[in-house]
Amino acid sequence: GGASSSSSGGAPGGQHDEQVNEDDQTDGGEDVYRRSRMNYKEHAKKYFGLAARTWKTLWLLCKHCAKPIVQGRTLLDQLLHTSLDAQLYFLWGPQRNQMKATPQERDELGFNPKELIKNVTEIYLFLTRVNRDEVCRSIAKDERYYNPTFFDKACRFLSKNNLLSEKDVAEFEQFSKDLSLLVQQQRSVAQEVDVPEEFKCEMMDDIMSDPVQFPQSKKIVDRWAAVRQIMGSDRDPYANTPVKVEDLIALPELKEKIHRFAKDNNIGLEGGNMFD
């Protein structure tokens, strides 16, 4: 059945079963989205419209601000894993079979898969043009959504529908191939190499690239993990005491040992290896 079969009508008596939040009400208590909530097709159309505007905003940000996004590695991981990789997963992964709608219904709802794929693949390209190695390293960590098959399908979809120039399609195809090889290599190394516990982040249980120590708890973690924690709570998560980013204690000798170990064992590190 299409989208209309589940969304064309409201609940009996013009009622809806969705909880209305306070910020969705006027001062008089009227539900400002009452009309769309009773017509689920209209409700879905509003969400698709919001999603399209969100993707366009991401596209603009990545086109004009790709460098700080790539350099801000926590932001890069979040963008790649929960937005770009996840979008390919939901378009071509197991969830695809749940998306049942005719072209007419997609048009009525404002869902444009061609424009969505174009936006997603161009964002990947904006980021890789700043630092392909860092983008590949980040995606290689994504064991939840990344799958080389989805990238291959995106390449074929781009070519079939002439969504990008031949040059851009070729660039994305090469990126997809390089990424697949890197992921295979990194995951093979992860299974074969026994990383010493002192080289692992106590927060993420993964090899560190820039180890730092919390001054109160003395716990040693990767800098990006510590910074993300502090940005969220301004506290040492182990001692539950106030802490600032500038309070973190750098550990250059441990960092050198880790980078030497990673170099000898062909392990990719966030931000690259100091011995490359």
Side-chain angles (χ1 to χ4, degrees):
S4 60
S5 63
S6 61
S7 60
S8 59
Q15 301 295 318
H16 61 80
D17 57 3
E18 183 173 339
Q19 183 178 354
V20 181
N21 298 322
E22 289 185 5
D23 57 356
D24 289 344
Q25 300 178 15
T26 65
D27 292 339
E30 180 184 359
D31 179 3
V32 296
Y33 295 115
R34 178 177 178 273
R35 180 184 171 195
S36 70
R37 291 182 205 275
M38 289 194 302
N39 184 330
Y40 285 95
K41 179 177 287 188
E42 185 175 341
H43 200 184
K45 185 175 181 179
K46 288 181 180 293
Y47 278 112
F48 278 118
L50 176 61
R53 292 192 295 273
T54 300
W55 276 107
K56 192 61 179 180
T57 300
L58 278 176
W59 184 92
L60 288 169
L61 283 171
C62 293
K63 179 180 181 179
H64 298 289
C65 305
K67 186 174 182 179
I69 291 173
V70 173
Q71 292 175 339
R73 296 185 183 113
T74 299
L75 177 58
L76 177 65
D77 287 349
Q78 292 175 337
L79 174 61
L80 290 170
H81 299 180
T82 62
S83 294
L84 303 181
D85 297 350
Q87 195 60 64
L88 294 186
Y89 171 86
F90 286 114
L91 284 171
W92 280 300
Q95 304 290 334
R96 178 181 175 84
N97 293 330
Q98 298 179 18
M99 295 191 297
K100 298 178 180 179
T102 66
Q104 180 181 353
E105 287 170 333
R106 289 198 294 267
D107 289 342
E108 290 175 356
L109 295 175
F111 175 52
N112 187 340
K114 292 182 181 180
E115 184 66 19
L116 178 57
I117 291 300
K118 182 175 184 293
N119 286 337
V120 169
T121 52
E122 285 187 323
I123 291 174
Y124 276 119
L125 292 178
F126 295 151
L127 299 175
T128 58
R129 288 165 184 167
V130 173
N131 190 330
R132 174 180 287 210
D133 290 343
E134 192 64 16
V135 172
C136 289
R137 180 208 58 77
S138 175
I139 296 176
K141 297 191 304 181
D142 182 9
E143 297 184 3
R144 181 178 184 184
Y145 291 122
Y146 170 72
N147 188 315
T149 301
F150 306 153
F151 278 76
D152 292 341
K153 289 182 177 180
C155 290
R156 292 195 293 270
F157 190 83
L158 291 169
S159 298
K160 178 181 178 181
N161 293 281
N162 297 315
L163 299 180
L164 300 179
S165 67
E166 290 185 7
K167 179 181 177 182
D168 285 350
V169 171
E171 183 180 354
F172 187 78
E173 288 177 342
Q174 189 60 52
F175 160 63
S176 176
K177 293 176 182 178
D178 293 345
L179 174 60
S180 179
L181 290 174
L182 177 68
V183 170
Q184 290 178 28
Q185 177 188 23
Q186 289 295 310
R187 293 182 180 176
S188 175
V189 168
Q191 293 176 351
E192 296 174 0
V193 177
D194 186 15
V195 178
E197 289 300 316
E198 65 173 316
F199 293 172
K200 293 182 179 180
C201 171
E202 295 207 38
M203 189 176 295
M204 305 304 295
D205 194 36
D206 196 7
I207 188 169
M208 297 179 284
S209 61
D210 188 6
V212 295
Q213 187 177 56
F214 282 108
Q216 295 87 3
S217 66
K218 306 302 181 183
K219 296 293 187 179
I220 297 175
V221 302
D222 214 348
R223 181 179 294 276
W224 71 267
V227 170
R228 184 172 67 176
Q229 174 66 33
I230 294 172
M231 290 175 63
S233 66
D234 292 322
R235 303 188 76 81
D236 179 331
Y238 301 99
N240 196 29
T241 54
V243 66
K244 298 179 180 178
V245 172
E246 52 266 31
D247 296 332
L248 296 171
I249 302 170
L251 302 171
E253 293 183 2
L254 177 58
K255 178 178 179 178
E256 184 173 338
K257 290 180 181 179
I258 293 172
H259 281 243
R260 178 65 66 188
F261 175 83
K263 179 70 174 179
D264 292 343
N265 290 278
N266 201 27
I267 298 174
L269 293 177
E270 183 170 355
N273 194 299
M274 64 191 299
F275 296 112
D276 285 344

